[in-house]
Amino acid sequence: MTMPHRKLGKTGWDVSEIGFGAWAIGGSWGAVPEADARAALHAALDAGVTFIDTADVYGDGRSEEIIGAVLRERGGDRPVVATKAGRRLDPHMAEGYTGEALEGFVDRSREKLGMETLDLVQLHCPPTEVFYRPEVFAALEALREDGKIRHYGVSVEKVEEGLKALEYPGLASVQIIYNIFRQRPADLFLERARARDVGVIVRVPLASGMLTGKMRRDQDFAADDHRAFNRHGEAFDVGETFAGVPYDVALDAVEELRGLVPEGASLAQVALRWILMQAGVSVVIPGARSEDQARANAGAAELAPLSPDAMDTVRGVYDDLIAPHVHQRW
């Protein structure tokens, strides 16, 4: 298929508006056999995806290694590959974000991915204080000048962190949670990022699978799935799991949204299309654990734009059910 492309900020790259989020093929989403992980990635690339997002801590490098192997196997023109660094710090504190540490993380990712120069390296949801340390961004700039990375960006938990990051002139991208259940970035951030020519990478677009419409009230998750072990923020920011929305509230909201799904489509595709209605978004990175999921995600780009009535319905569900739980938190 021919996937629509969008400009990724000041990088000079046009990337597919649906990308591939590679957290699930690394870990923390239950077991994903390597054969399935490779098949999902191949299916996404075959469907026209030209942007992959991963991180050095996804499966302790497993995700990066699988991506590197698949791209070597395919050969030819390759997609843009973004990775993240910083979460290997233990303890994960602002003081650890030194030039030496970042260079070590970058070198490790270069080896795992099999790339001399990394396309895009993002600080991986660092402590808020890091955004107020110009020396950290100077270290990223030095890595760019040394030819180890082409561009650098940040992945953030909070809108305020994203707004602060936009002040650094060399910043190429901000990765942020934005979905039907997390609408606050559209209030100010997306417009300001676009004005600064900074790419916006949208993660957690399906609220950890909740917006697929397939979750049940008695759903069981594997012990190594973050939807089991991080329901209340036990391991990392709770906003990364079901977008921070209480499970039963999210299920109620999903029921209100089912009527928006056109024949032949899925709720997940509608949720992805809703994100793409925002011109300030550069690329959306849903994850996939199988070929079918990868193809279905890519197919969201083929859906017709949502009607004004559908957009109003989504906003109403958010205002009535979701916003009280998340809007001011992130």
Side-chain angles (χ1 to χ4, degrees):
M1 62 175 286
T2 301
M3 174 82 71
H5 281 57
R6 298 188 180 199
K7 178 184 175 186
L8 185 63
K10 59 176 68 77
T11 65
W13 296 323
D14 288 330
V15 299
S16 57
E17 60 186 19
I18 301 288
F20 184 92
W23 183 11
I25 67 171
S28 299
W29 288 79
V32 180
E34 183 167 337
D36 291 353
R38 287 175 176 248
L41 187 51
H42 275 296
L45 296 170
D46 290 343
V49 166
T50 64
F51 183 88
I52 300 171
D53 178 83
T54 185
D56 57 2
V57 293
Y58 293 168
D60 194 25
R62 180 182 192 243
S63 177
E64 290 181 326
E65 289 176 342
I66 290 172
I67 291 165
V70 166
L71 296 184
R72 287 191 295 274
E73 179 182 331
R74 292 177 71 90
D77 293 339
R78 68 168 180 81
V80 172
V81 178
T83 192
K84 307 183 205 67
R87 284 283 173 168
R88 299 188 65 77
L89 291 170
D90 187 16
H92 183 235
M93 299 175 64
E95 291 75 14
Y97 279 79
T98 64
E100 181 181 7
L102 289 172
E103 184 171 22
F105 298 149
V106 163
D107 286 343
R108 184 179 186 270
S109 290
R110 290 166 64 216
E111 180 180 355
K112 295 284 186 184
L113 286 164
M115 297 177 182
E116 185 67 23
T117 302
L118 299 178
D119 294 334
L120 175 65
V121 170
Q122 307 153 92
L123 300 182
H124 196 173
C125 298
T128 300
E129 183 182 341
V130 167
F131 296 95
Y132 293 85
R133 294 193 171 200
E135 64 272 20
V136 176
F137 293 85
L140 291 169
E141 188 65 34
L143 288 168
R144 190 187 66 80
E145 292 172 356
D146 287 346
K148 292 191 173 186
I149 65 176
R150 288 188 175 85
H151 299 284
Y152 58 87
V154 295
S155 183
V156 303
E157 297 289 3
K158 301 177 184 297
V159 166
E160 287 77 12
E161 294 168 344
L163 291 170
K164 178 61 182 176
L166 293 177
E167 297 179 9
Y168 294 96
L171 192 82
S173 65
V174 174
Q175 183 173 143
I176 195 167
I177 297 176
Y178 175 59
N179 60 46
I180 286 175
F181 288 172
R182 288 278 288 275
Q183 298 191 25
R184 189 173 173 223
D187 289 351
L188 175 64
F189 171 75
L190 294 177
E191 178 183 350
R192 190 162 294 180
R194 196 177 185 192
R196 296 272 183 146
D197 199 19
V198 171
V200 174
I201 303 164
V202 171
R203 75 175 185 280
V204 196
L206 300 177
S208 307
M210 179 60 72
L211 286 167
T212 66
K214 296 178 180 179
M215 301 295 172
R216 306 184 311 273
R217 295 192 187 273
D218 60 348
Q219 189 92 22
D220 285 328
F221 297 100
D224 60 346
D225 188 323
H226 74 99
R227 293 171 294 184
F229 67 74
N230 194 58
R231 292 281 281 272
H232 306 288
E234 297 92 332
F236 41 81
D237 192 281
V238 68
E240 300 283 348
T241 303
F242 301 124
V245 181
Y247 191 80
D248 287 342
V249 173
L251 287 173
D252 291 341
V254 164
E255 291 306 311
E256 297 294 319
L257 297 169
R258 290 191 190 278
L260 301 179
V261 181
E263 185 177 355
S266 67
L267 181 59
Q269 290 174 325
V270 170
L272 294 173
R273 192 68 185 84
W274 180 89
I275 296 168
L276 295 174
M277 296 292 289
Q278 173 56 253
V281 169
S282 304
V283 57
V284 186
I285 52 169
R289 294 156 45 103
S290 69
E291 295 177 81
D292 288 345
Q293 287 179 350
R295 281 191 286 265
N297 289 341
E302 298 181 310
L303 262 62
L306 302 188
S307 69
D309 285 347
M311 296 296 286
D312 288 345
T313 295
V314 170
R315 185 67 197 196
V317 170
Y318 177 75
D319 288 344
D320 294 344
L321 296 178
I322 304 298
H325 300 279
V326 302
H327 195 78
Q328 298 302 333
R329 293 188 65 182
W330 293 282

